[in-house]
Amino acid sequence: TRERYSSIRKTVSCLRAQTACGQIELVIVAPSRSRLDLDEGQLSDFAGCQVVEIDRFESIGRANAEGIRHAKAAVVALAEDHCFPDPQWAARLIASHQGPWSAIGPSVRNANPQSSVSWADLFIGYSPWLAPAPSREAEFLPGHNTSYKRAVLLEYGDQLVSMMQAETVLHWNLRSKGHRLFLESTANVAHVNFSLWSSWLPVQLHSGRLFAATRALGKPLSWRILFTLGAPLIPVVRMVRIWGNLSSQELQRRFLSSFHALAIGLLVDGVAQMMGYAFGVGNVAEKVAQYETDRFRHIRKEERSQIIGADS
């Protein structure tokens, strides 16, 4: 959280409701413990809890990297203030990590399905893993919501922050080193998506540039030029891939009803990726962090009331 405990209360409530709550160490990353206004009463059921102070919350990548470095468990699972795991989520990830997988991700469903913008945001960010996606070995997994064997991540050393900026790039790199990734569809999460145009379009611009710039790190100039010139094809390629990922008629119906928003979002993302390949990351990492935390500022009022009101 970039601010106070209240912004993560809903997520922590879902973690407290886990059947494996007693096996979980909760690691809260925040600028300052003194300003966090921590609710100690919510923490007693966990196996442990620690607050990691990072002074300035400059990027999601840095915050997640610091949490990973301070965690004590052999498996670390990332959690967001706007993504709510089902009660069996932790137990099923823990069980799956007994296998040969270095990273395991959950299946995803829409927590605020009332608007076309929300569906477009979900399709762009999570289409390969939308429920009812089957469990399977995967090429990459849901960003900001995947679990990892901690030792594998620590091998990145000083590069961990940059690798956590865009986890798709991390996952490709893990697979290039022989690591295996798995989608555990029985571990399900409900993800709150942007539903305000005024928030969603800037996010596409900043996130697309961050992804492309992270992907381009260490690549030769010829590679960057090739991908910059090819960026106009990105919206078409991604649209086709998203449709191919949809595993039910209901998801296909949602795709068609949100097509206008999806097309606009992908066009903005294509322009943003062109900028990232050509000019690098700029200052977008901090801008992405501002949108990726305290998500309830970026959804419609009636959705906010419904989701927060459902919290116990």
Side-chain angles (χ1 to χ4, degrees):
T1 176
R2 295 176 68 246
E3 298 178 0
R4 296 181 180 274
Y5 178 79
S6 57
S7 69
I8 59 173
R9 181 183 297 275
K10 172 77 174 181
T11 301
V12 175
S13 294
C14 291
L15 296 176
R16 285 183 69 202
Q18 295 297 306
T19 58
C21 179
Q23 296 175 260
I24 297 173
E25 179 201 29
L26 181 65
V27 181
I28 300 173
V29 183
S32 168
R33 184 186 181 104
S34 63
R35 298 198 305 270
L36 187 59
D37 195 18
L38 193 62
D39 185 348
E40 301 282 355
Q42 276 208 314
L43 309 179
S44 58
D45 294 333
F46 294 103
C49 177
Q50 60 171 306
V51 177
V52 177
E53 297 178 295
I54 57 172
D55 296 326
R56 185 164 174 260
F57 203 117
E58 59 192 19
S59 73
I60 295 294
R62 184 190 169 214
N64 280 335
E66 289 301 318
I68 290 163
R69 287 168 177 154
H70 283 80
K72 297 182 177 68
V75 171
V76 291
L78 305 184
E80 299 181 289
D81 64 9
H82 55 274
C83 193
F84 313 127
D86 289 353
Q88 294 287 338
W89 165 85
R92 287 168 177 166
L93 291 178
I94 291 168
S96 290
H97 268 287
Q98 302 303 311
W101 319 112
S102 295
I104 300 174
S107 61
V108 182
R109 67 180 186 274
N110 197 341
N112 57 325
Q114 296 85 3
S115 73
S116 59
V117 173
S118 171
W119 279 104
D121 186 36
L122 186 72
F123 286 139
I124 289 176
Y126 294 97
S127 66
W129 316 288
L130 294 182
S135 296
R136 64 186 187 275
E137 188 162 1
E139 294 184 8
F140 57 109
L141 294 166
H144 303 167
N145 291 286
T146 286
S147 63
Y148 301 89
K149 289 185 168 64
R150 179 170 170 266
V152 171
L153 295 181
L154 294 181
E155 291 175 2
Y156 283 97
D158 293 340
Q159 291 183 305
L160 184 59
V161 172
S162 61
M163 297 304 292
M164 297 305 298
Q165 297 284 33
E167 282 170 79
T168 298
V169 177
L170 167 65
H171 298 163
W172 290 339
N173 187 265
L174 285 172
R175 291 182 68 248
S176 73
K177 295 179 177 181
H179 294 284
R180 300 173 67 187
L181 285 58
F182 189 74
L183 174 66
E184 179 52 75
S185 65
T186 65
N188 194 264
V189 298
H191 189 272
V192 178
N193 311 289
F194 294 98
S195 60
L196 300 177
W197 285 95
S198 58
S199 298
W200 184 58
L201 290 180
V203 167
Q204 298 311 303
L205 190 64
H206 303 323
S207 297
R209 182 169 179 178
L210 180 61
F211 167 79
T214 302
R215 188 181 186 187
L217 287 173
K219 295 293 195 298
L221 179 61
S222 59
W223 187 97
R224 297 178 67 121
I225 292 173
L226 178 63
F227 275 75
T228 300
L229 294 176
L233 296 175
I234 290 173
V236 176
V237 172
R238 295 198 69 188
M239 186 74 78
V240 172
R241 286 178 177 171
I242 288 170
W243 175 261
N245 287 329
L246 305 183
S247 57
S248 71
Q249 291 184 345
E250 173 61 18
L251 290 175
Q252 292 172 351
R253 185 182 71 80
R254 294 288 191 176
F255 173 96
L256 294 174
S257 67
S258 62
F259 185 85
H260 62 292
L262 188 56
I264 294 170
L266 288 174
L267 286 171
V268 174
D269 172 75
V271 171
Q273 289 201 43
M274 180 184 292
M275 294 171 60
Y277 290 130
F279 305 116
V281 70
N283 64 343
V284 298
E286 188 164 359
K287 292 180 179 179
V288 169
Q290 292 170 2
Y291 283 99
E292 283 295 332
T293 53
D294 201 5
R295 176 63 55 87
F296 293 113
R297 294 179 299 169
H298 305 293
I299 66 175
R300 299 188 304 181
K301 183 178 180 180
E302 59 270 25
E303 296 171 336
R304 197 158 53 239
S305 300
Q306 180 183 23
I307 294 170
I308 296 177
D311 192 12
S312 58

